[in-house]
Amino acid sequence: MDFKGFAGKAKESSFKMASIPCSVRDYALLEIMKSLDESSGRIFRANSEDLDRAKAGNLPGPVVNRLKFDSNKLKEVSAGISDLTKMPDPLFNIVFERELDKGLTLCKTTCPIGVVCVIFESRPDALIQISALCVKSGNSCILKGGSEAANTNRALFDVIYNAGTRAGLPEGFASLAENRADVDGLLKCHESIDLVIPRGSNSFVQHIMENSKIPVMGHADGICHIYADKSADVEKAVAVIEDAKIQYVAVCNAVETLLVHKDAAAPLLPALKARFDLKGVVLRGCPRTKEIIDCESATDEDYRTEYLDYVLSVKIVDSLAAAVSHINKYGSHHTDCIMTEDREAAEEFMAAVDSAGVYQNCSTRFADGYRYGFGAEVGVSTGKLHARGPVGLDGLVSYKYKLYGDGHIVADYSEGRKSFNFTQAL
Amino acid sequence: MDFKGFAGKAKESSFKMASIPCSVRDYALLEIMKSLDESSGRIFRANSEDLDRAKAGNLPGPVVNRLKFDSNKLKEVSAGISDLTKMPDPLFNIVFERELDKGLTLCKTTCPIGVVCVIFESRPDALIQISALCVKSGNSCILKGGSEAANTNRALFDVIYNAGTRAGLPEGFASLAENRADVDGLLKCHESIDLVIPRGSNSFVQHIMENSKIPVMGHADGICHIYADKSADVEKAVAVIEDAKIQYVAVCNAVETLLVHKDAAAPLLPALKARFDLKGVVLRGCPRTKEIIDCESATDEDYRTEYLDYVLSVKIVDSLAAAVSHINKYGSHHTDCIMTEDREAAEEFMAAVDSAGVYQNCSTRFADGYRYGFGAEVGVSTGKLHARGPVGLDGLVSYKYKLYGDGHIVADYSEGRKSFNFTQAL
């Protein structure tokens, strides 16, 4: 495959996408929605083939479940597209406007990023969500889905692409890469691809982050912490820790390590152990923890592990500062929570913990674009540049500076014939 | 040198910096300003040593000039620090606040990036500017200056560090790397350094961009274009092209290629040539250009070259779309201008050209933080994620999501006992 050519076409298309008005982008989204509905028979047949192949290949049950694309899924993604069409245009917004001098006006204006390459795993609904987000934000997208869903992805892509171009989007506004080997080729196209968003396992995301010069938005690990401060309310703490651990264990915003202030350990740990014994959660404690409750031993390796399982490591610390140090050292800068009734302690924790989400008295499981009220999300970013935390539509835009003059030259200002006179309008 | 340890200390310090109130940061800046003034004798002596060494080593005149740090320079940087103390706090700003449900409040709040490593060339005033910007924005900084200025940098750094820590900034808020070899070591510390800002030659910046997993903010090339559209005003165009080319040739925002609409060529090119002949600017034209004026031939390589010299390449194009294609293919996404009296053409150009600055009827030389009214600038970014174009204080901040609850758990929402009720407060 000629990757440079493939990515170059997406780039060409992105320059056209940057000028498409919101009315056309929204119309295209509605046409895509309609077309998905009209083509549902073909899509479901393609999905059956993928499902049959998955079952024949003895793929694990959860993979087969995620692969399934039925009328319920179609309804869900259609509702998502419909919501997107109702959202305000993320493009062409004037972030600020400033007259630098008479007749010389600077506008900082939002614009698309350009070409976004999204690499995702088995769920075919992700393909629809992502391409819809890219259409709304004026980005060209390159999509690479899981090979288990190859037939479904191809069917969905054809429908989306044809409906989109018929509705006025430029050729190449979306493209589909179909082989696993394509990923490494695409990662080398830093001249055409502006952003890679990988969604998948730790090791997969890590691989991408380490093998591309293209900026990557996403997260590898999710090692989230809850710190029970000395003024924590025991009952609230137990309920929040339980929710954060087991409401859904296999997810990046589940808690993996509990830190407990030494003065909170005696009341909290026995109550937590009683609850977790009932729920089948294994505790792994530091030596001081084991003096209070009976549990397995935690090693340094435990504090670096994203269990994604019914296991929680527990460590007693001497102070809030020690908790912050532990989190900043072992954590993944995703989401960390303090349980405390002391607002000042909460603020200290929230300022010093270097994570995308810093919480007081609530479950780390809230870290999610839907729960934040963002609508659809492209992913969760643990980076600190550009978008951080759950990333919605506004993580898919950049900005440019427009300067309108009437023959203005710099020499007039540097040689003192004119001077700047900054007036902020917005 | 133990780079991981060195960078690790900066990281430790950054967690403390993140909580320092603006009053303390501003006070520290004023103390730094005072201390620089009181220590001026020592600083000027150190600078004399560097200057003597530079002259003895026969360094080129411009390098020696940039190296000079005298009482005028000190006054300038002091004024810059004073301006910074008057600017509003870039931290702790609530970007938005939203109640997700009763008692569960989400705040998107600005915060420092963490550890910023700035690598700059000979001008010692850059050290003061950059450390002051980092103090104001609550970032810890690692500074690496040019070896020609080693004595001056050491003297400045000592004064700044001592005054800053005396005024309440945490130990390690700034650190100085002194050897060229240190740069490669520091580039490997992606666990501690959050951002690298290189300021220097193309090849130097390119080297850094290609050899680090740390995000880099900056620009390598500056291949800026002016496109004279068919409705360009010839007189304005000649004046703007002249300014953009020769007002200061050795700089990234100087114009390197002129594109001319075929209908504008006959009136514009002879006028331009007459002016440039007087000014000693060499024109290199495409074959169609050479049919109109007598000049050297431009090759494809010319269109990819940042001359930084009294040379301009000229190409005639058939349409605005062809100009846009040329710019997006050969340009460096820095700053590009259209000369036109047609506002619609300007908007089309400005939407489709994929650059940090898109101008109508004014010199590309305006692309600069000072001229945009940003005050001090850290650099100019040609990247599209995070900050783009001239980067001021707000390019040195990130944000985090704070979520305040009272024992809120996700299970209540996923099992239907509660539902979200998003209310935007800001």
Side-chain angles (χ1 to χ4, degrees), chain B residues 89-139:
Chain B
D89 190 4
L91 305 182
F92 314 135
N93 295 329
I94 296 178
V95 181
F96 77 70
E97 189 170 337
R98 175 183 286 167
E99 205 178 59
L100 306 183
D101 189 19
K102 197 163 170 299
L104 186 65
T105 306
L106 182 70
C107 287
K108 182 175 178 177
T109 312
T110 59
C111 64
I113 289 175
V115 177
V116 178
C117 176
V118 188
I119 306 168
F120 52 98
E121 289 194 329
S122 45
R123 294 187 348 187
D125 36 327
L127 186 147
I128 305 175
Q129 261 178 7
I130 292 161
S131 46
L133 280 163
C134 286
V135 167
K136 180 74 182 196
S137 57
N139 289 289

Side-chain angles (χ1 to χ4, degrees), chain B residues 300-327:
Chain B
D300 208 58
E301 201 42 41
D302 279 290
Y303 303 131
R304 300 186 190 281
T305 301
E306 186 182 19
Y307 298 120
L308 301 172
D309 204 349
Y310 284 75
V311 183
L312 180 72
S313 61
V314 183
K315 186 180 175 184
I316 293 177
V317 294
D318 287 328
S319 63
L320 188 150
V324 168
S325 286
H326 180 101
I327 293 170

Side-chain angles (χ1 to χ4, degrees), chain A residues 98 113 236 372 384 406, chain B residues 98 113 236 372 384 406:
Chain A
R98 174 184 286 167
I113 288 177
K236 274 184 213 167
Y372 279 9
K384 285 192 275 184
D406 187 30
Chain B
R98 175 183 286 167
I113 289 175
K236 275 184 214 169
Y372 280 9
K384 284 192 275 184
D406 186 30

Side-chain angles (χ1 to χ4, degrees), chain B residues 160-201:
Chain B
I160 291 171
Y161 188 76
N162 292 330
T165 47
R166 269 200 319 271
L169 300 182
E171 267 183 52
F173 80 89
S175 39
L176 184 67
E178 300 190 87
N179 300 304
R180 183 162 274 265
D182 296 349
V183 172
D184 288 325
L186 289 170
L187 291 180
K188 293 198 178 73
C189 299
H190 55 275
E191 282 172 9
S192 296
I193 299 175
D194 296 290
L195 178 65
V196 175
I197 305 179
R199 316 213 301 187
S201 68

Side-chain angles (χ1 to χ4, degrees), chain A residues 98 113 236 243 247 347 350 353 356 360-361 372 384 388 398-401 403-407 410-411, chain B residues 98 113 236 243 347 350 353 356 360-361 372 384 388 398-401 403-407 410-411 414:
Chain A
R98 174 184 286 167
I113 288 177
K236 274 184 213 167
D243 186 82
Q247 198 270 330
E347 290 300 343
M350 290 162 112
V353 167
Q360 179 190 13
N361 293 343
Y372 279 9
K384 285 192 275 184
R388 191 179 199 193
S398 180
Y399 58 82
K400 52 171 67 167
Y401 288 101
L403 185 62
Y404 299 95
D406 187 30
V410 163
Chain B
R98 175 183 286 167
I113 289 175
K236 275 184 214 169
D243 187 81
E347 291 300 341
M350 290 164 114
V353 167
Q360 179 190 12
N361 292 344
Y372 280 9
K384 284 192 275 184
R388 191 179 199 193
S398 179
Y399 59 81
K400 51 171 68 167
Y401 288 101
L403 185 62
Y404 299 95
D406 186 30
V410 163
S414 66

